[in-house]
Structures are given as C-alpha cells and as structure tokens.
Amino acid sequence: MSVIGSRLLRKEDPKLLTGEGKYIDDIQVAGQLWMGMVRSTQAHAAIASVDLSAALEQPGVVAAYSGKDLTEGYWIAPLPCAWPVTPDMLNPPHYPVAVDEARYVGDIVAVVLAESRYEAADAVEHVVVEYEPLPVVASLTDAVADEKLAHPELGTNKAYTWAIDENPDGVQAALDGSAHKVEATYIQQRLIPSAMEPRGVLAVPSPHGGDITLYSATQVPHILRVMVAATTGIPEQMIRVIAPAVGGGFGAKLNINADEILAVALAQKLGKPVRWTETRTEAAGSTTHGRGQEQHVEIGSDADGKITAIRVKIDADMGAYMQLITPGTPLLGSFLYHGVYEAPAFSFTCEGFFTNKTPTDAYRGAGRPEASYAIERAMDMLAAEVGIDPAEIRRRNYINGGEKFENWDNPAGLTFDSGHYTPNLDLALDLAKYDELRAEQARRREAGESKQLGIGLCTYVEICGLAPSRALGDLGYGAGGWEHATVRMLPTGKVEVVSGSTPHGQGHETSWSMIVADKMGIDPADVTVLHSDTALSPLGLDTYGSRSLAVGGVAIAMAVDKLIDKCKALAAHQLEASVDDIVLEDGNLQVAGSPDTATPIQTMGFAAFTAHDLPEGMEPNLNEAVTYDPPNFAFPFGTHVCVVEVDEDTGEVEMIDYVAVDDCGQQINPLIVEGQVHGGVVQGVAQALWEDAVYDADGNPLNPSFMDYLVPSAAEVPNIRTDSTTTTSTSNPLGVKGVGEAGTIGSAAAAVNAVVDALSHHGVRDMAMPATPQRVWRTIDAAKNGGQA
Amino acid sequence: MIPAAFDYQVAESADHAIALLGEHGDESKLLAGGHSLVPMMKFRLATPTMVIDVGRLDDLRYIRAENGHVAIGALTRHHELENSDVLADACPMLKHVASLVGDPSVRHRGTLGGTLAHSDPASDLPAAVLALGGTLVAQGPSGTREIAANEFFTGYFESVLAPDEMLTEIRVPSGTGGWNYQKFNRRAQDWAIVGVGVADGGKGVSLVNMGSVPLRATAVEEALAGGASAADAAALAAEGTEPPTDLNADADYRGHLARTLVLRALTEAGVS
C-alpha cells in the first residue's frame, strides 16, 4: 500500500496538543537572568544620554548597558544582512543596541538584566533616556521625497535599485502600441506576522568549557549558528543552537535578531544564562514586519485582451535597517509579475528605501503574494477595460494556451518546471458554481438589493523549493540552497531520519516518516525524525520559502534510496544472489521471483550493526547521508475563488464562500496540504480585509496589540473548500512542488477582486487594502454620489 | 502579563470589599472578571497598588424575577445571562446582548456589574441596560443607593460611583416588547464600532461607541414619542452626539452607521 498520498494524522499533534511540547518558555535553567529591553519611544532621535543609575538600584537588577557601553568587546560585526542585492546597496551598520541615534520606535537603546522577568520589566521603567528628535521618515512617500533622511549620514533614503529591464524601449513600444492599457498603483500595507508563539531566546554559557548553547524560537538554527559566530567572534564549533518546539514563524523567525546576539554576548560576559521573551507589543513593533510596498503596474493588451507588455515599478519599504533578507524580499516576487500569463515584453524595477519604521523582512510568501496581487488585480482591471469576463481574460493569456507544458522559459529569466492551468481553473469555477453566481449577481443588481454579490478570481503561480545554490549566488544571496538528510537503520530495524529542515508547525515529522515508510515498505510509526539542533543535525539550511519538501524531503528520499541499496547489497550477500536480482517488495528483500527468499528489510539493521558477516569492503552500520542541491525551483499554481457579500448601506464585506484549487505537484499527505491551504488563505484574506500596521506622521505605531491589529478568527472566515489538480514537478525526483505559502499568495487578490467585482456596476475598479467597512462605504458613496473615496 | 507590582486581597463579602476600598482609597481597584482591568494593568495603563478581588462573592451572583423587574447580582457573569431562563422569559434583550460580548472566554469571566462600573462607551451591556431603563444598586460605607442607568455614566470610563462604593445589583424592567440590538464590528470578538439597542418598542434607544459614555438616542426617542416614522426618527440618530474617530471609523462614518443601524434596529423591533 502506498503511504504517500494517504491522509495520515500528524504524529506531532498528540504531544503539541497536550502540552508536552517544550517551547522556549518551558526551558528553565538555574541562575538565569532576564533581559529587559529599553526601547526608543522616538521614531528618529539622537540619543543625548542614557542614565542607568536608578535602574541599577532596583531589586534583582544585576547589570544594565547602554549602546555606548557595548561598543567594544561584545561583538566583532554588526547584525548581518545576508542579501546585498546590488554591489552598491547601502547598508548602514546595525548593532544590537543603538549607540548615537534611535531609528524607529522600538529600536533598543539600553538593556537591563535582572533575576526575574518582572524585575527586569520594572527596572526598564527606571532607565532615563534623553532624546533629541530628528526629522522622521514616516512613510514611503517621505522616503521617496528624500528630504527627511532615515539615516542622515547616508545622504539619501534610497538603498538600492534592482531591475530586470533588458529592453526598456521594446517594452515602451509594446505599451504604446497596445489597444488597451491599464495603469494602476497598489499599496501593500505593512503587516505584523503574529505567530502564535512570540519569539524568545535563552543563551546558556559554559564558563569553564567555553562553549555556549543558544535556544531560540527560530526557523533557522543552522543559519543562526553561523551568524552568531560571525557577529560575536565565538568560534563556530563552540556554539550549539537548538530550536525547541516553535509555535509558528511565517518568516518573522527567519532572522538574526538583536536579542539573540545580545543574549549570547551578555551570557558569555557574565558567565550566566541570559534569556528574554518578547511581549506581544514587542512582537508587533520590534520584530520584523511584512510587505510594505507601493506597486506601479502598467499592462497592455491587444483588442482581444491578449497581453502585449507588462511594466512594473516597485518602491519597497526596508524600514530602519537591513535585517537578514530585507532587501531581497520584494525581489522574490520580481520574477512572477507576469503571473500565469505569457508576456511578450516585460520589465521590473524595484527601489528599496529606508524609513524610520520597524524593519521589514520575509512574511509568508515574501514577495510572491505582492506579485500575485498586482498582476491579478491588474488582470481584472484589464478585463473590465476590454469588456470580457475575468475568467475569460485569464484563459486567453495562459502560458501555452492553458495546455500542459514543461520547462517554459519565463520573461524574467527563470524556467517554469511544469504547469497546466486551464483544467485547474475549470475545476475551481465548477466547484464555485461560477455561472450560477454570475446569474445571482445579475439578479441582485437588477433588484437593487443592498447586499451585492462579488466573485473574485485569482489564478496564481509561485516559486517554491528555494533554491538552487547557483541561482542564489547569481542573486547575491549569502548562502546556498541545498538541504541535508541522514537516514539510519538502528539495530532493531527502526529508522532515524536526521533532517536539516527545521519545522515550526508544518508537520515535517509526519511527512518525512511517510517518505521513508513508503520507500522502504515499513510502518511510518517505525520512523523517528531528529531535527532543529545543530549538535544532532549539524548540516542544514532550515525552513522558509516553501522549501522543506521540495529540497529537504527530496534529500531524505535520496538518502533512503542509498540506504535501500546498501540493504540490497547485504541481502544479496546473505542470499548468495546477485545484487541486481534483489528486489524490495512490501518491506521484504528477496530474489526476484523467489518469494521464499523474502527477508524483512528491517532485519538488515542488526546484521549491519553486528557486522559479523558483511560483504567484502562493506562498512558496518546502515547510515546514509545526502546533501541535495535542487537543479531548479518548483512552480506550484492554483485558482482561488472568493465570494463576498457587500452591504452597500454600511460597507461591510462578508465572505460567504471560498474555493481553493491548488496544484502543488505530488502530495505526500493531503491532510497537511489542506491545513497549509486553510491557514494560508486566512492569512491572505487577512491582508485583504483586516490587517494593517498603521503609523502616524511622527512614526508612532498606532496598533501594536491584538486589540487594534485585527487578525481574523475562525468566526470571520467561511468554510474553505479545497480541491487540487496534480501536475508533477520536473525539478525533483519526487515530483513535488510545495504548498506552505500558496494559500497566502492566492487569496488576497481573490478577496479584493471579489469586493471590487461586487461594486463594478457602480464603476468601481479598485479598492485599497484592507477593504475596511469605512473604506468600502466611502468608495460606494464616491461612486454613487460623487463623494470623496 | 507583566504589570507593575501590586498587593492583592480577596474580599470575603461586599462589606469587606467596601472596607478595603475605604482603607486603600484611590490606589485600589476592584477585580471582578478582570477582562478590562487586567489588560490595562498589563500595559501598565492602570497601576493600582491594591487589587481587591470580589470575584468570589457568590451571593452577588443571581438572576431573579421580582415584582415587575429582574434583579441581577453584580457578579453575575455574561455567560450566565446568556443562558438564563429567567431572562428568556422576562428580558430576552439582555440575554441576547450578553451573548454578543467578546468571545466565550470573555463571557465566562466578565460580570455585569464589572462592565457597568467600568463604563466603557464601547461595551454592549451598559447600552442594553440603558435602553431598558435599568436601575443600578450601589453599596457604600453608609448603605445602599439606587441609581437610574441614565444618570450613572458621567464620562469616559467614569461613573457616579464613589471611590468606596461598589455595584451590588442591577435591575431591569420585565418586558418583552419590541426590542433589537445591532452590533457593527469587524470581527465577532471585538467591541462595537457602533451599536444600537432598542427596547420596549422604541421607548428606549441607546447608542454604543457614539460618544464618551453609553448614550440614549434622545432625539430618536423623542421623535418616535411624537409620532415620527422609524425612518424619520432614525435620521436623527447621530444628533447631539460627538462620536470618536479611531482606526476603525471616522466620526462622520459613525454617524452614518448610527442612522443606518437605528433604522434596522427599529424595523427589527417592529417599529415602523
């Protein structure tokens, strides 16, 4: 029986759901000190003085430091940015504690260490910081104007310009010659990632041994280890990083944070364990944000709506500093601004700007939701311009006419592994009962009902399987994209997998067990997966960019193949047969055609362990490793249909149906795929309808709490109906693509397209995110009565 | 939560709580369900040095049908209102509004007396009690007094309660005459951006989050009393109000919502 493709319940869940999971706050060590961060209350100010004297006298306080106190002897390099996207990118040094200037509300200006968390929080209130306010770059508009400067010493806010623009004149000519043209600006508002578990860190030094163990609620323990060595100067082999159970990350735990480096440096200095857990307010204002872009899109077509050219210019908000992949995040979408459509002429330019706001970085989808939103909104506007149905304009422009293709070169220089778009669209429209919805929409319009119906489509493509190391090198990224796996059979025949992928909610232990069990013909319960600890799993590049299965999972599959080959050689020796005649069937090794020779593969563990009778030259034990570097990315796609009711009297939007038909190639566990789609869809519609990290003109965050920053709950979203098509990837031997971010990439555009569609008969063509009741009502009012939208 | 340091004492009775309030004065706060006080302490917006826990005063947890009204102990939880057979018969509006507060965990902790004493203009139950024409019973060192709901709220999170008084009982008139409650918000668990309560066939109309206190929509009530149609009366819903502007809504949009929701509430309540 095939294990791959079955709906196995997640083996992680009993532990996590009953509280047995050990998260960072469950790990307590004797003698630990708590850090309390003194954070800037000013978006941009010179730090005139920091007075720690009163704080040092508070009960339980052991030490306190300003930025100036930490300028020597604590670190050898600033916090790392691993992705200098251009050779001349501006990247001012970013130290864990600001020294002369605070550059966003939340920037750390001093740190207090105390014996308890409460004492640390109390002492923070006794630190007196004198600020001298400086001009604040509080928005992208401010940043582009370049009059006020986020980093005055740089002389400009513009950090870089990056482009795919080989034939600008050709693109211009194609646009000029287009029968129809749409030009629009879309705002990708800032989002707060909001993982269920906040970030936390615990550094445990060994004052006599010299080594240090760093526990962190991170997605990237392997990358963190390298970067701790590079920033603190502690020899890398003396550093062990452990990511315990981690409660979600969405990209905001894909970073090297000031608190992590501070904890290590201060633990080494004081010879005591040092820990910190962010409050929700700190999570909202001081851990990285997502999105933050203005997208200027031009799209032209011929008279029938066939695309002639796409030109995109993005202004991207870096925030105050370059975090680990801040500058590269918008570029992860750069290759996808043509979506699932053929675009004979294509141009993309991105300019990155500093602002005096929380740094931005990866957030679920990282660049691709933005790209998908822009092209899918523009396609709806183009459909309106041409005067055809949104589904029809998509059909007319699909790559290869919507027929199946493999290895298609896109206009941005990538090669799409495989795609087959029309059947995917048809299935989604069928499930949604698209024609009936259109009829009902017409009826409500005719009747002039106050609740109008809107149907929004999004047919997206995305990039998974980050990434071929060579491709990352070409992009200037500071690491490779391989993944490592070791698979070993223990003496009793049970199997241990060591993976360099680091789960934080994805269900890796289940999926990896299924891959191994499927290949070996054994029970998935006989497989245990080890991960997330650099001492157990020294080689790895962790979890982000929907890469775990398409890279890490493939590495495991390849390592299992090697292990099976060795088992076959051992069985051939035992059975005195040729290895070429040994086959593996239902967990038994046997000579082909001779079932009486069947030997359970799991007995090979003991034979290899005792090593009493191995073939000549064979090493004892069964322990096979593979480091897999994918030859190409994988390009999942899908169709999302969002159905909304818009109350024209109040502007309220209610989602009444949602259909997601995703194609992520071969599925290992459809239950996990559906879970990823559900969560992703809600995270995407959250941007469309609810979430918005708002700042005032002085750079103060206005909603850094769950009271004011509206993360939707199950009560706000309809039952999400999922289905799938399967177009296997040509990029890897499992045929898998990836699904971790797909829901988010497909859903924001579907939701906004639905809201606009509901109001299109009033002449409404666009709606900014989030489509709040007030915004929708004002838009209706403007369309009907000529008011101000 | 990491509040500032505070002392904590369990009140054994209402008398004990009032004595403790007298002893600790302005620096003390009563803790009932804690769903307003605790978040404020967490953000250090409230820093009481003495927290007096009245949450165990079970003798103030009751819902009783009495002569022409329902008497409700101040420590009665929203969850108990929501599931009360007494209210189903005698005051279904209060039962319904209780079911709309926050989420289940809030409703299992929050108390009717607590939400009234907190006097949040955005809360649902104060507006419901206001529309119903309820009476609040406060106990202080020198005994109890009755306060009409429409004289109770004095300002943003302020009421006529003296520092050493606590609410012990809330009385709402019995009656199932045309009522409705409209709650407009962006997520089910949130406070209303604007809410509207209609009780007793339009004799009581109240507004949520349309000013610094829970409000009676007096212009609407008077117009209806004078024979105006629901539509004409609803058009006056924002009259005399000074609604706030926040991230969810500007003042003018709140005014529009008030007019729209009052009409809906009146229509649903059978007022034409």
Side-chain angles (χ1 to χ4, degrees):
Chain A
M1 191 202 96
S2 177
V3 178
I4 287 181
S6 65
R7 301 173 69 88
L8 199 66
L9 291 176
R10 300 196 336 160
K11 65 199 301 184
E12 296 87 340
D13 286 347
K15 186 170 76 176
L16 295 177
L17 295 177
T18 56
E20 282 175 24
K22 288 268 180 278
Y23 293 86
I24 186 91
D25 273 4
D26 296 317
I27 302 164
Q28 300 289 327
V29 293
Q32 65 191 11
L33 300 176
W34 278 86
M35 291 193 290
M37 308 300 187
V38 180
R39 295 185 181 277
S40 176
T41 55
Q42 304 282 316
H44 194 192
I47 301 168
S49 67
V50 179
D51 183 354
L52 302 167
S53 54
L56 283 164
E57 285 171 16
Q58 295 303 306
V61 172
V62 172
Y65 305 90
S66 69
K68 278 207 172 67
D69 298 333
L70 297 171
T71 45
E72 276 185 40
Y74 292 85
W75 29 75
I76 58 168
L79 293 169
C81 171
W83 200 346
V85 295
T86 59
D88 60 350
M89 182 186 88
L90 299 180
N91 181 23
H94 174 202
Y95 287 97
V97 181
V99 180
D100 299 317
E101 217 175 283
R103 296 188 182 88
Y104 71 97
V105 172
D107 211 355
I108 302 172
V109 294
V111 55
V112 175
L113 286 108
E115 286 163 359
S116 76
R117 188 176 193 187
Y118 286 76
E119 288 167 325
D122 289 344
V124 161
E125 302 206 332
H126 288 86
V127 174
V128 181
V129 184
E130 270 188 282
Y131 297 101
E132 290 166 1
L134 294 168
V136 176
V137 180
S139 65
L140 264 174
T141 312
D142 283 355
V144 173
D146 228 14
E147 286 160 7
K148 297 177 274 187
L149 298 175
H151 292 264
E153 73 283 6
L154 299 179
T156 177
N157 292 316
K158 192 194 289 185
Y160 69 83
T161 302
W162 189 94
I164 303 171
D165 194 20
E166 285 173 5
N167 183 9
D169 295 341
V171 173
Q172 184 64 54
L175 283 170
D176 290 344
S178 296
H180 298 286
K181 204 175 140 186
V182 164
E183 196 170 343
T185 296
Y186 306 121
I187 309 291
Q188 297 284 337
Q189 77 271 32
R190 279 175 170 255
L191 301 177
I192 299 171
S194 309
M196 202 179 290
E197 183 207 18
R199 292 193 312 103
V201 58
L202 166 62
V204 184
S206 166
H208 302 291
D211 55 307
I212 188 158
T213 301
L214 175 62
Y215 300 87
S216 182
T218 181
Q219 297 171 228
V220 290
H222 296 92
I223 294 171
L224 182 55
R225 183 192 193 201
V226 178
M227 293 303 185
V228 167
T231 51
T232 64
I234 298 169
E236 189 177 349
Q237 82 282 6
M238 308 287 264
I239 303 165
R240 177 181 180 185
V241 178
I242 299 172
V246 176
F250 309 120
K253 292 176 181 168
L254 192 196
N255 229 307
I256 310 303
N257 294 285
D259 41 86
E260 292 169 316
I261 302 304
L262 260 178
V264 170
L266 295 177
Q268 283 294 80
K269 193 75 176 180
L270 299 169
K272 287 195 161 199
V274 170
R275 76 179 307 146
W276 172 81
T277 299
E278 67 185 0
T279 64
R280 273 295 164 193
T281 310
E282 286 177 306
S286 304
T287 290
T288 53
H289 286 174
R291 318 288 186 254
Q293 297 179 7
E294 268 187 46
Q295 306 166 300
H296 309 280
V297 180
E298 293 166 274
I299 182 165
S301 80
D302 66 14
D304 297 328
K306 190 111 172 74
I307 295 168
T308 48
I310 295 171
R311 182 163 65 193
V312 178
K313 162 75 200 326
I314 288 179
D315 296 332
D317 181 353
M318 305 286 101
Y321 301 106
M322 298 299 192
Q323 285 279 352
L324 192 66
I325 61 163
T326 300
T329 297
L331 308 185
L332 286 167
S334 62
F335 308 96
L336 292 178
Y337 273 84
H338 64 89
V340 286
Y341 316 112
E342 292 188 359
F346 180 81
S347 160
F348 173 90
T349 307
C350 176
E351 292 182 327
F353 294 91
F354 290 110
T355 57
N356 291 119
K357 294 161 90 169
T358 304
T360 59
D361 207 292
Y363 177 53
R364 201 170 191 173
R368 288 104 78 209
E370 296 95 310
S372 165
Y373 183 83
I375 181 65
E376 289 301 294
R377 277 267 56 240
M379 288 302 277
D380 266 27
M381 292 170 88
L382 183 62
E385 190 71 25
V386 177
I388 58 176
D389 187 88
E392 179 58 26
I393 194 124
R394 287 168 169 79
R395 285 182 200 284
R396 289 186 191 177
N397 283 287
Y398 278 154
I399 292 163
N400 200 34
E403 296 296 312
K404 188 171 182 194
F405 66 83
E406 287 183 355
N407 304 322
W408 180 79
D409 293 330
N410 92 333
L414 297 185
T415 301
F416 282 19
D417 57 345
S418 61
H420 195 187
Y421 300 150
T422 298
N424 184 275
L425 173 70
D426 286 340
L427 178 55
L429 295 181
D430 193 43
L431 279 174
K433 298 193 165 66
Y434 188 70
D435 294 339
E436 289 177 32
L437 288 170
R438 286 283 174 218
E440 169 64 8
Q441 180 183 53
R443 189 195 66 74
R444 291 192 193 193
R445 287 179 179 185
E446 183 68 24
E449 290 183 12
S450 63
K451 284 195 176 174
Q452 289 293 328
L453 197 66
I455 308 121
L457 294 182
C458 175
T459 59
Y460 73 90
V461 63
E462 72 129 329
I463 310 181
C464 286
L466 305 182
S469 297
R470 182 179 292 278
L472 291 176
D474 291 344
L475 288 170
Y477 183 66
W482 48 263
E483 193 48 271
H484 183 84
T486 300
V487 178
R488 64 176 74 107
M489 189 182 286
L490 304 175
T492 54
K494 308 299 184 188
V495 176
E496 257 176 12
V497 174
V498 183
S499 170
S501 304
T502 302
H504 44 282
Q506 291 84 356
H508 284 176
E509 292 178 14
T510 305
S511 300
W512 300 170
S513 298
M514 290 173 73
I515 291 171
V516 173
D518 191 86
K519 282 200 170 274
M520 295 181 75
I522 65 174
D523 185 339
D526 282 353
V527 184
T528 287
V529 182
L530 307 174
H531 53 78
S532 307
D533 176 346
T534 60
L536 281 178
S537 149
L539 299 174
L541 283 173
D542 304 314
T543 294
Y544 42 86
S546 300
R547 69 188 304 271
S548 294
L549 177 57
V551 191
V554 172
I556 289 164
M558 294 170 79
V560 179
D561 285 342
K562 278 174 80 173
L563 190 87
I564 290 170
D565 285 346
K566 186 166 177 181
C567 288
K568 282 182 177 172
L570 187 49
H573 176 71
Q574 288 174 350
L575 298 169
E576 296 180 349
S578 162
V579 69
D580 297 334
D581 294 336
I582 303 294
V583 293
L584 174 60
E585 276 176 22
D586 296 333
N588 290 312
L589 294 164
Q590 63 184 63
V591 178
S594 305
D596 56 316
T597 61
T599 309
I601 189 170
Q602 288 180 285
T603 64
M604 297 300 143
F606 197 70
F609 166 68
T610 58
H612 292 165
D613 183 18
L614 299 180
E616 193 62 33
M618 180 181 279
E619 285 182 17
N621 286 317
L622 292 168
N623 187 63
E624 297 297 330
V626 165
T627 301
Y628 171 67
D629 199 347
N632 189 11
F633 302 93
F635 295 83
F637 58 91
T639 304
H640 287 203
V641 184
C642 180
V643 187
V644 300
E645 276 182 349
V646 176
D647 184 336
E648 293 197 353
D649 292 339
T650 62
E652 184 175 27
V653 175
E654 189 186 353
M655 272 192 290
I656 57 172
D657 195 13
Y658 199 98
V659 170
V661 178
D662 295 278
D663 191 322
C664 58
Q666 172 68 47
Q667 297 187 9
I668 303 299
N669 184 333
L671 200 61
I672 288 178
V673 169
E674 287 164 21
Q676 286 284 4
V677 170
H678 285 188
V681 164
V682 175
Q683 227 155 355
V685 298
Q687 179 179 14
L689 299 178
W690 288 282
E691 297 185 15
D692 188 3
V694 184
Y695 285 77
D696 69 13
D698 297 322
N700 296 301
L702 296 184
N703 54 352
S705 84
F706 283 159
M707 193 173 91
D708 296 313
Y709 184 83
L710 305 186
V711 178
S713 75
E716 280 74 49
V717 291
N719 184 32
I720 296 164
R721 299 192 287 141
T722 57
D723 206 335
S724 59
T725 56
T726 303
T727 308
T728 53
S729 175
T730 57
S731 295
N732 62 69
L734 286 178
V736 296
K737 292 196 169 186
V739 76
E741 296 158 295
T744 314
I745 291 166
S747 55
V752 174
N753 282 348
V755 175
V756 173
D757 183 65
L759 304 173
S760 62
H761 59 303
H762 298 310
V764 173
R765 290 291 173 267
D766 197 17
M767 177 82 65
M769 296 189 287
T772 64
Q774 174 168 285
R775 180 170 277 151
V776 173
W777 177 73
R778 288 205 194 287
T779 303
I780 295 166
D781 192 44
K784 282 182 165 177
N785 309 318
Q788 195 68 43
Chain B
M1 84 158 187
I2 310 169
F6 63 91
D7 287 323
Y8 169 90
Q9 202 155 349
V10 175
E12 307 292 345
S13 65
D15 289 343
H16 185 209
I18 289 155
L20 288 169
L21 282 172
E23 195 179 322
H24 298 284
D26 284 353
E27 299 305 302
S28 61
K29 282 296 271 186
L30 294 182
L31 173 72
H35 274 253
S36 298
L37 178 61
V38 171
M40 289 172 75
M41 290 173 66
K42 169 183 149 176
F43 286 116
R44 299 193 174 198
L45 297 172
T47 54
T49 54
M50 169 59 77
V51 170
I52 302 161
D53 187 351
V54 294
R56 299 177 198 187
L57 302 183
D58 288 339
D59 55 332
L60 293 182
R61 185 167 293 136
Y62 56 81
I63 305 170
R64 286 195 290 259
E66 293 184 351
N67 191 19
H69 66 261
V70 182
I72 302 163
L75 271 301
T76 305
R77 299 191 193 280
H78 308 334
H79 168 77
E80 290 159 343
L81 302 177
E82 183 184 354
N83 291 287
S84 163
D85 292 336
V86 174
L87 287 179
D89 290 340
C91 189
M93 178 178 177
L94 197 63
K95 172 182 155 80
H96 174 70
V97 175
S99 76
L100 302 178
V101 177
D103 56 28
S105 57
V106 170
R107 297 197 290 274
H108 276 82
R109 295 295 307 162
T111 66
L112 182 59
T115 187
L116 285 161
H118 188 55
S119 303
D120 184 342
S123 286
D124 300 297
L125 286 163
V129 172
L130 200 56
L132 287 162
T135 302
L136 285 60
V137 181
Q139 186 178 334
S142 52
T144 62
R145 61 176 176 138
E146 294 181 11
I147 307 159
N150 60 3
E151 289 166 4
F152 183 76
F153 307 104
T154 55
Y156 196 57
F157 296 117
E158 285 175 355
S159 71
V160 299
L161 279 182
D164 55 359
E165 276 186 313
M166 70 175 279
L167 288 179
T168 52
E169 188 174 278
I170 292 88
R171 295 174 193 153
V172 289
S174 297
T176 54
W179 62 272
N180 189 256
Y181 189 79
Q182 296 283 324
K183 181 172 184 176
F184 188 85
N185 56 12
R186 293 174 62 194
R187 298 182 305 179
Q189 71 197 64
D190 287 329
W191 281 271
I193 295 171
V194 173
V196 171
V198 168
D200 199 11
K203 290 197 182 68
V205 180
S206 63
L207 299 171
V208 182
N209 219 355
M210 282 295 289
S212 59
V213 293
L215 290 175
R216 288 286 281 259
T218 42
V220 177
E221 291 174 354
E222 284 166 11
L224 288 171
S229 70
D232 288 347
L236 306 173
E239 202 122 300
T241 65
E242 291 179 29
T245 286
D246 58 27
L247 291 178
N248 283 319
D250 296 337
D252 68 320
Y253 176 59
R254 277 202 160 85
H256 167 78
L257 284 176
R259 290 184 289 273
T260 305
L261 299 175
V262 165
L263 180 56
R264 284 184 184 180
L266 289 173
T267 306
E268 292 289 325
V271 183
S272 55

